Amino acid sequence: MSEVYAARRERLRERCTAGGSATALVSRPANVRYLAGVAPLGAVLLLGSGEDLLVCGNPPENPFAEVRPDDGLRVHELPSPGGDPAVAAADLAEGQGADSLAVEEHHLTVARHRAIGSVAPGLRIGSLGTAVEQLRVIKDEEEVSCLRIGAEIADQALGELLESILVGRTERHLALELERRLVDHGADGPAFVTSVGTGPHSGRRGHRPTDRRVEEGDFLSVCLGASYHGYRCEIGRTFVIGTSPAAWQIELYDLVFAAQRAGREALVPGAACRDVDRAARQVLDSAGYAEGLPVLTGHGVGLEIDEDPQLAPAAMGKLDACVPVTVEPGVHLPGRGGVRIDDTLVVRPEADGGPELLTITTKELLAL
Amino acid sequence: MSEVYAARRERLRERCTAGGSATALVSRPANVRYLAGVAPLGAVLLLGSGEDLLVCGNPPENPFAEVRPDDGLRVHELPSPGGDPAVAAADLAEGQGADSLAVEEHHLTVARHRAIGSVAPGLRIGSLGTAVEQLRVIKDEEEVSCLRIGAEIADQALGELLESILVGRTERHLALELERRLVDHGADGPAFVTSVGTGPHSGRRGHRPTDRRVEEGDFLSVCLGASYHGYRCEIGRTFVIGTSPAAWQIELYDLVFAAQRAGREALVPGAACRDVDRAARQVLDSAGYAEGLPVLTGHGVGLEIDEDPQLAPAAMGKLDACVPVTVEPGVHLPGRGGVRIDDTLVVRPEADGGPELLTITTKELLAL
């Protein structure tokens, strides 16, 4: 794997050089992990014209043996406790003769940025922008493979939950049980806070589980994901509790299902992100649910659960092949509940069979 | 409760006015919660000369009904999706005629800070420093009560785990079970990532649970905490697995226990933070464990698990009454494991009986 990280750093170096700064400081943890393969707590990556450095705090988060960066990278551990690796890295850069340093202004705080300027007054401090995030959008097959395994784990955890008795259990307990099952099946942990919403809470994006218990006749919405080797996927489903769904439940479910399918079918390389959003959104719009729709109908996933691209009305840019995204429209009716259906898919050319569905749990309306 | 938050904001307002800026923008989530009683995701608090505003994103994280700030505070929801509440708040401040705005430079990123400057060019942007964190150090009895309940919950969760069979179970599973029990007993959730370390992993601060299984003869270190109404406590204990601890295990345990007791006994109002650290540290030092000791032997707790004050060799400042802190010395022997003992206590005057121990699980060396 080490050549993968070295190649990623090389691509970033080319961008930096083109942008006028040969030296860059990467501090956002997911970006550090993308470029170094590891991201001990607080560690930053100094990308220089010569050797690249992973600058770690003191003591390092884990014993040194667990930090296994690839070969082209040297680990620099701060000599004494309490220092800021970003500040130390700037000092090292100046010592190596750099004259400028591009930093992640969307991650560094004002106070840290100022400390960097103070310790290295000879450096011109510039901006790296979101260069690393942009590199991260298109995944290689190794990354997709991690997402695929994570999705399998989430499917398994969800499938097992559906076999158990649900009525009478609280949202919190169901969420905890799902998280335990994710770990049972080999996840690093949950990809994000598992959401379980029952009755009036169902269909709400990001609903935090409460002590409400599952009741007969409820909608039950579940959204979970596994983190596997750092890669985070997402699946969301809505079920009905009891033997026969009410007419309004079937109608709402069919509508959201149609919207979600329209979004999935719009996932082709070259499609504008806003067009994918519109494909899903207009199904809900034209059924009279224009108000209260979520801000986005999907987003990229990877080392973070919410990455570029955004599938939203004002989103810029087009989809590329090998970009994993969620498609997750939903409708929530205040006081009654609602439906969300959420898949993780990888954009693929039609010649390769179209979008690859990673989360394969059925989207039929199950009555449990 | 609403008058509590209004009084806190009033104290902050006095500090700001004394500091030369009548208007302040609080963005750090724990600080927003401290001053407003709620902290919807992304919300910021604008503390003006007139009315205070809680500026929330659009859509707000939870339906509006769940945001219940106290009476002296008005909620301002952004009119359209995607905006940054901090930027919107600066715009509002300028619109209200403010000429300066003190911001949290240790929390705002460079990019957000610049956006604030752009939207409100007429405002002088100053620094609020860590004024809110300083207000948060001394707790009122309501806050201590939340910590006390959290500690009871953590004690219960730990006590139940000790009654179950441990040999053969993995660190990950034990950690998950503890977290489930925390929620069972009424916690909002774990206060931080539960740490379970067995055998060679025992005694390591912040050890992330792995798939290693508990074996006969192991040390088993556990560190957990409950979050209750937002307040976070911490307890850490080390046990021995099997019928009879080895001589080195008893010796090491007694040593760490003596260090931890020395730290606890040094907790008196007016004591220098570094002296409390030294009290615990010198016990370990003089037994030959000067190398590899943790950076700190304790820290404040509250709305965050790691707050001021720090109990460390270079810490400045003195302890006050009603300050909750951890005392958590430990020794880890690479390849063998080690011992950590961690309590949460509230500093109290001797006349009130001295430090109040919140985490009451026994510190005898239990063989399980």
Side-chain angles (χ1 to χ4, degrees), chain B residues 74-130:
Chain B
R74 191 160 63 83
V75 175
H76 177 93
E77 189 183 319
L78 296 197
S80 57
D84 179 344
V87 174
D91 194 27
L92 289 167
E94 196 178 32
Q96 289 172 355
D99 60 353
S100 68
L101 183 68
V103 302
E104 297 194 298
E105 294 186 339
H106 59 300
H107 178 258
L108 285 180
T109 66
V110 175
R112 294 181 82 190
H113 190 267
R114 183 177 302 131
I116 288 171
S118 303
V119 77
L123 280 182
R124 193 163 29 82
I125 311 291
S127 169
L128 186 59
T130 56

Side-chain angles (χ1 to χ4, degrees), chain A residues 59 105 108 110-111 114 173 184, chain B residues 105 108 110-111 114 173 184 295:
Chain A
E105 295 187 337
L108 284 180
V110 175
R114 183 177 300 131
H173 274 102
D184 277 350
Chain B
E105 294 186 339
L108 285 180
V110 175
R114 183 177 302 131
H173 275 103
D184 277 349
V295 182

Side-chain angles (χ1 to χ4, degrees), chain A residues 205 277 281 292-298 310-314, chain B residues 58-59 80-82:
Chain A
R205 183 167 201 261
D277 175 75
R281 192 175 293 270
L293 290 189
V295 182
L296 45 75
T297 52
Q310 301 286 303
L311 306 180
Chain B
N58 175 302
S80 57

